[in-house]
Amino acid sequence: MIETLRRAIARSDGTLFQDMIGALCLVVILVGALHLPSF
């Protein structure tokens, strides 16, 4: 399983950082939307 992860990371080397930024943005939007009704 670890070898599979290593191969997947090696293949997606160019877009991995962009995918991480996108996931982080989605989490920030979700947390913001959940806290919006409390204002």
Side-chain angles (χ1 to χ4, degrees):
M1 182 171 170
I2 292 174
E3 186 62 34
T4 305
L5 289 174
R6 285 183 186 161
R7 277 189 258 142
I9 290 172
R11 280 182 293 172
S12 65
D13 201 23
T15 61
L16 186 63
F17 186 66
Q18 293 173 351
D19 289 340
M20 287 173 43
I21 290 174
L24 180 64
C25 289
L26 288 174
V27 169
V28 168
I29 291 170
L30 176 66
V31 170
L34 289 175
H35 286 287
L36 191 61
S38 66
F39 288 124

